[in-house]
């Protein structure tokens, strides 16, 4: 294993530099590092004095990040965690004013471009989208994928960011996309704390990168703790690079190059990063850079002190081995700078950081104080004409006395005032009410928008193209419709790729990709290992770099293994960057009604609750699925498509425009018109409902059957609510557990669509049992809604309404 020599000084690769030039570079690095340290110290103080809610900082990691920044080039990507402020300052992807603006949660992306105040401090992102949602030129920028707080959470997408470089280098058909890559020369830099390397997503992704041989460079900041838990309780041998030695590539094998270097050794760090990243960039070999002997001067965060769990000896060692102190000693020893010169740099740095902090605070505080004063005046004006004069004046006085006010204080004061004067009418009260309406709209834009991109490229705006059929259309298996759809799209758009377990050689377990790997090559249609988390991460990273991935999870039950990356990262990306980033990955899976506990789940309630930010498509057959894929592949937002497992071999008519017709998202469809009861279902249970239609007709019951087609968005034309006005009765059939997917559908129809007012009977749900379905056909019958269940439930509802016409069966 190549290992950088553990030494305090050494040669520095400074070819063609004079000593004066070299000194300027080193001193500028020290200035950036020292400014970053002062930002950490001041940031902590701002939290403890109440100006900010929480603080987490990168103190102790400054020198390593300065070295990493030297190897980072335009076109490269960072996917890291919340300790990388020095790196962000050194590369110019962020600055001190933005650092403090985020600490204060400034909701203006011009002041806080990473998230518009939606993320806590040190959660970085660059805006790689234009305001209209189109891509910026990524090769002309340094790029940072939006940070998340979950430990190791940024690592799965790192795989996709690196894998994109491999595809851009190896697939010459992508050469025209020169705004995303220059021959795949871009490196994806990842950072992680030593404690977080214990997470499964780290090991899973690490293994996948070694298999794929992608230009991924992971830096582990090792300060020997994970909050209070020491490495002895975190990592075998207390050394992550030691236990990963088996991944070290050897002649004739794939794998990693592994480097190890001390976090306070400036020269060794610069040498290590130059060497490691050159190898990674040129040969597409993944690298691990284990940076040891890192310190954390202020502890983990503002939530507690590390003196509680570190020994006096450890604290003393950390003081002596502080990276900036060691760099300072080295500069004086090697005559790069004198103590006086460094003191001057340090004094200027302290002053500059303080100025940036004040400017960031004042820019936000000034706006809020103006709004506060205007609001207080309006309340006082209302008080002058109100019988509630005393109470209103107190509200205004209390508002003016708030220390470090926020907009919540302003809005709360207005609402209190309006409640107090609820029985009054006056122009002054109307002024206050108009202010509240306007402020609610502004705050909605600040805090509640852009869960989806909502741009002209949104799949919701893809033109509807109806399916066309020949006079005598072929009847084929449903899987063949999908296969033809994928074939047409892969031919149309060279950026589309697909990967997952068994997707390549055998064309997926249900043959949707049969024969397509031979036609389009294994670089576009690819098998993966069993690794659901990194499959989604791979798709997410690829999508962020302009490609159109279809990431397959073999069965819906297995989506649970990818939950963290989906719900923590993918689904919140547009929201948490305030529309600055997107990742239009399509997650393809299949579910419902394959017998057995582990292959028959329908966890729709969990998906609907945890995955807001995905379009959730539940096609009833493969033709509808194909139309949804055609729509999604022309849009720019992420989606989950759940195909029905028992539909692949059912016969369907093959559309003549199989790669062109589209199914609009959020548009429900009436499959059977009726007047007695509205039945809403989707996927496989919808087929059972349709089988019940003629049986119920024999009993004199005409049901209206509605397929929502997508659960998110749900029935945007209110078809269900309109139907309910006609039938006045509602049954939701769903094979999720009770109170899950069905409860969501009820909420949408009863509340959002006003269906409650049309009822003349209690709405009902017909769901699976609370447990997972047992194996076998009998287990399926007695666990999930059956044809008999649908008929009996509908009949019993009609019997309750009209027992004379529909006497009880049982």
């Amino acid at each position: 294993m190549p290992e950088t020599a553990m030494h305090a000084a050494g040669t520095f690769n400074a070819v063609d530099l004079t000593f004066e030039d070299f000194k300027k570079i080193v001193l500028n690095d020290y200035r950036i590092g020292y400014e970053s340290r002062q930002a950490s110290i001041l940031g902590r103080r701002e939290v403890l004095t109440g100006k900010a809610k929480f603080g987490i900082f990168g103190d102790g990691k400054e020198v390593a990040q300065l070295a990493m920044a030297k190897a980072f080039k335009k076109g490269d990507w960072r996917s890291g965690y919340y300790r990388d402020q020095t790196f962000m300052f050194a590369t110019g992807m962020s600055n001190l004013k933005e650092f403090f603006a985020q600490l204060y949660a400034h909701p203006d992306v011009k002041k806080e471009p990473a998230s518009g105040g939606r993320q806590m401090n040190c959660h970085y992102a660059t805006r790689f989208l234009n305001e209209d949602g189109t891509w910026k030129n990524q090769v002309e920028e340094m790029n940072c994928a939006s940070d998340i707080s979950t430990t190791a959470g940024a690592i799965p997408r790192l795989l996709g960011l690196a894998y994109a470089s491999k595809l851009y280098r190896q697939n010459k058909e992508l050469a025209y996309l020169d705004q995303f890559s220059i021959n795949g020369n871009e490196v994806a830099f990842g950072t992680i704390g030593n404690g977080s390397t214990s997470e499964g997503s780290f090991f899973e992704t690490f293994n996948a990168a070694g298999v794929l041989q992608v230009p991924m460079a992971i830096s582990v900041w090792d300060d020997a703790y994970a909050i209070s838990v020491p490495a002895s309780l975190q990592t075998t041998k207390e050394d992550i690079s030691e236990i990963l030695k088996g991944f070290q590539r050897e002649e004739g094998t794939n794998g990693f190059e592994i480097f190890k270097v001390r976090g306070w050794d400036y020269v060794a760090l610069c040498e290590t990063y130059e060497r490691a990243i050159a190898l990674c960039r040129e040969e597409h070999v993944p690298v691990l850079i284990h940076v040891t002997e890192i310190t954390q001067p202020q502890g983990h965060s503002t939530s507690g002190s590390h003196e509680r769990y570190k020994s006096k000896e450890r604290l003393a060692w950390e003081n002596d081995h502080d990276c900036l102190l060691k760099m300072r000693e080295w500069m004086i020893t090697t005559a790069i700078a004198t103590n006086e010169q460094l003191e001057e740099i340090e004094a200027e740095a302290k002053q500059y950081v303080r100025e940036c902090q004040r400017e960031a605070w004042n820019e936000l505080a000034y706006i809020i104080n103006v709004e506060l004063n205007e609001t207080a005046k309006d309340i006082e004006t209302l008080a002058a004409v109100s019988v509630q004069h005393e109470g209103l004046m107190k509200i205004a006085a209390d508002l003016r006395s708030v220390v470090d006010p926020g907009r919540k204080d302003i809005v709360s004061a207005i609402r209190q005032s309006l409640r107090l004067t609820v029985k009054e009418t006056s122009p002054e009260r109307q002024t206050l009410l108009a202010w509240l309406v306007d402020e609610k709209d502004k705050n909605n834009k600040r805090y509640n928008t852009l869960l989806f991109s909502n741009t002209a490229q949104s799949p919701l705006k893809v033109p509807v193209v109806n399916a066309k059929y020949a006079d005598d259309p072929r009847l084929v298996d449903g899987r063949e419709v999908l296969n033809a759809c994928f074939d047409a799209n892969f031919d149309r758009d060279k950026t589309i790729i697909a990967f997952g377990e068994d997707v390549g050689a055998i064309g997926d377990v249900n043959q949707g990709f049969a024969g397509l790997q031979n036609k389009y090559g294994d670089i576009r249609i690819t098998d993966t290992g069993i690794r659901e988390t990194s499959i989604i991460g791979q798709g997410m990273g690829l999508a962020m770099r302009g490609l159109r991935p279809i990431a397959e999870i073999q069965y819906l039950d297995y989506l649970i293994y990818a939950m963290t990356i989906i719900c923590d990262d993918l689904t919140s990306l547009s929201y948490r960057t305030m529309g600055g980033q997107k990742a239009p990955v399509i997650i393809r899976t299949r579910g419902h009604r394959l017998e057995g506990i582990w292959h028959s789940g329908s966890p729709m309630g969990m998906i609907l609750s945890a995955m807001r930010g995905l379009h959730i498509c539940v096609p009833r057959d493969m033709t509808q699925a194909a139309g949804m894929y055609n729509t999604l592949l022309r849009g720019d937002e992420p989606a989950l498509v759940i195909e029905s497992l028992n539909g692949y071999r059912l016969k369907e008519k093959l559309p003549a425009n199989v790669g062109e017709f589209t199914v609009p998202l959020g548009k429900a469809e009436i499959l059977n018109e009726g007047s007695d009861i509205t039945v809403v279902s989707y996927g496989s249970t919808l087929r059972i409902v349709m089988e019940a239609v003629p049986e119920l007709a024999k009993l004199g019951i005409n049901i209206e059957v509605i397929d929502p087609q997508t659960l998110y968005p749900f029935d945007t034309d209110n078809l269900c609510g309109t139907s309910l006005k006609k039938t006045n009765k509602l049954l939701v059939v769903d094979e999720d557990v009770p109170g899950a997917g069905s409860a969501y559908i009820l909420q949408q129809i009863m509340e959002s669509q006003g269906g409650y007012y049309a009822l003349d009977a209690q709405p009902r749900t017909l769901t699976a049992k609370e447990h997972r379905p047992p194996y076998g056909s009998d287990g399926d019958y007695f666990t999930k809604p059956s044809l008999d269940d649908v008929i009996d439930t509908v009949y019993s509802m009609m019997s309750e309404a009209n027992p004379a016409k529909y006497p009880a069966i049982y």
Side-chain angles (χ1 to χ4, degrees), residues 193-260:
N194 59 290
S196 297
T197 62
S198 299
E199 292 276 13
S201 56
F202 170 80
F203 281 99
E204 180 180 315
T205 305
F206 197 84
N207 177 62
V211 170
L212 292 173
Q213 290 295 277
V214 293
M216 183 175 89
I218 297 182
S219 295
V220 178
W221 309 138
D222 190 346
D223 60 16
Y225 286 85
I227 306 185
S228 66
V229 181
S232 60
L233 300 178
Q234 286 279 350
T235 308
T236 302
K237 301 182 180 181
E238 301 184 42
D239 191 319
I240 187 63
S241 58
E242 185 68 20
I243 64 173
L244 291 176
K245 279 184 177 180
F247 285 89
Q248 171 65 48
R249 69 169 184 161
E250 299 170 356
E251 187 175 350
T253 73
N254 55 15
F256 273 71
E257 288 293 337
I258 301 175
F259 299 82
K260 193 172 186 180

Side-chain angles (χ1 to χ4, degrees), residues 278-558:
L279 176 67
C280 190
R281 191 184 306 279
E282 294 163 13
E283 299 184 29
H284 279 195
V285 174
V287 299
L288 172 74
I289 303 162
H290 183 194
V291 184
T292 65
E293 299 191 19
I294 290 280
T295 66
Q296 200 157 270
Q298 297 188 123
H300 174 75
S301 69
T302 54
S303 63
S305 169
H306 61 157
E307 284 83 2
R308 291 180 301 163
Y309 53 84
K310 290 179 181 175
S311 67
K312 291 182 179 180
E313 292 76 15
R314 173 68 192 190
L315 291 169
W317 180 90
E318 290 193 11
N319 285 334
D320 292 341
H321 289 80
D322 184 292
C323 63
L324 289 177
L325 175 63
K326 300 293 281 185
M327 183 177 178
R328 195 182 198 280
E329 293 172 352
W330 169 74
M331 287 187 291
I332 293 173
T333 301
T334 56
I336 289 173
T338 63
N339 183 63
E340 292 72 23
Q341 287 175 310
L342 295 177
E343 286 180 343
E344 183 179 355
I345 289 173
E346 292 160 358
E348 291 174 352
K350 286 182 181 179
Q351 182 178 349
Y352 177 63
V353 171
R354 185 64 174 164
E355 289 171 357
C356 290
Q357 176 268 322
R358 286 172 178 160
E359 287 180 19
W361 173 256
N362 290 336
E363 285 175 355
L364 178 60
Y366 173 78
I367 296 170
I368 291 178
N369 283 325
V370 168
E371 294 176 3
L372 184 149
N373 288 326
E374 290 177 356
T375 301
K377 287 179 182 178
D378 285 344
I379 295 172
E380 290 162 351
T381 300
L382 174 59
V385 299
S386 173
V387 296
Q388 301 291 343
H389 173 82
E390 185 176 342
L392 290 168
M393 290 302 291
K394 183 178 185 307
I395 291 172
D398 289 345
L399 180 60
R400 291 186 185 278
S401 67
V402 174
V403 177
D404 299 333
R407 289 191 169 95
K408 66 180 181 63
D409 301 297
I410 298 170
V411 171
S412 180
I414 295 173
R415 295 169 77 173
Q416 291 176 58
S417 300
L418 292 172
R419 289 197 297 268
L420 193 61
T421 59
V422 65
K423 296 181 179 180
E424 300 178 18
T425 57
S426 67
E428 291 79 6
R429 187 178 188 277
Q430 193 62 36
T431 297
L432 207 59
L433 181 61
W435 176 283
L436 179 63
V437 171
D438 182 59
E439 193 66 14
K440 279 186 175 180
D441 180 64
K442 290 178 179 176
N443 286 322
N444 178 67
K445 292 176 181 175
R446 290 173 181 132
Y447 303 112
N448 308 123
T449 54
L450 294 167
L451 183 62
F452 292 94
S453 66
N454 301 326
T455 66
Q457 295 80 39
S458 166
L460 300 180
K461 298 177 182 178
V462 171
V464 177
V465 177
N466 293 323
K468 298 177 182 179
Y469 294 92
D471 293 337
D472 186 19
R474 289 173 56 205
L475 276 178
V476 299
D477 289 349
R479 62 182 178 82
E480 295 180 74
V481 176
L482 277 179
N483 187 264
C485 166
F486 290 138
D487 189 5
N489 278 288
F490 270 75
D491 184 64
R492 174 185 63 85
D493 185 349
K494 306 305 180 186
T495 66
I496 299 174
I497 57 176
F499 49 88
E501 299 158 20
D502 301 304
V503 167
I506 68 170
D508 86 49
V509 291
N510 294 99
Q511 300 292 283
F513 283 103
L516 298 186
Q517 186 182 72
N518 289 336
K519 185 172 182 179
Y520 295 104
D522 60 7
I523 196 158
R524 292 188 65 190
I525 300 174
T526 309
D527 285 314
T528 70
I530 300 175
R531 50 176 182 83
E532 286 78 12
T533 293
S534 58
I535 285 173
I536 301 302
Q538 186 174 332
M540 184 177 178
L542 289 169
M544 296 173 87
R545 293 194 60 187
L547 298 171
R548 296 310 314 268
I550 300 172
E552 178 163 318
I553 301 297
Q554 195 163 89
Y555 295 111
L556 181 58
D557 298 80
Y558 301 167

Side-chain angles (χ1 to χ4, degrees), residues 567-587:
C567 67
D568 288 341
D569 200 358
L570 177 61
T571 56
S572 69
L573 180 65
S574 177
Y575 172 79
R576 74 176 188 268
T577 61
M578 221 174 190
Q581 297 189 0
K582 64 182 178 183
V585 58
I586 298 172
I587 303 171

Side-chain angles (χ1 to χ4, degrees), residues 725-746:
K725 290 178 182 177
K726 176 173 61 173
T727 67
N728 309 118
K729 299 176 186 66
L730 175 65
L731 173 65
V732 177
V733 182
D734 173 41
E735 61 177 8
D736 199 356
V737 296
S742 57
Y744 165 80
I745 294 173
L746 278 179

Side-chain angles (χ1 to χ4, degrees), residues 8-48:
T11 59
F12 186 91
N13 188 2
V15 178
D16 299 327
L17 284 179
T18 66
F19 186 63
E20 288 302 314
D21 290 335
F22 172 66
K23 286 202 301 183
K24 288 179 181 178
I25 292 171
V26 175
L27 290 173
N28 185 61
D29 279 352
Y30 183 73
R31 175 187 60 80
I32 294 170
Y34 197 84
E35 287 174 353
S36 181
R37 175 66 61 85
Q38 295 306 306
S40 297
I41 294 170
L42 186 52
R44 181 181 178 86
R45 192 178 307 156
E46 292 297 276
V47 173
L48 297 180

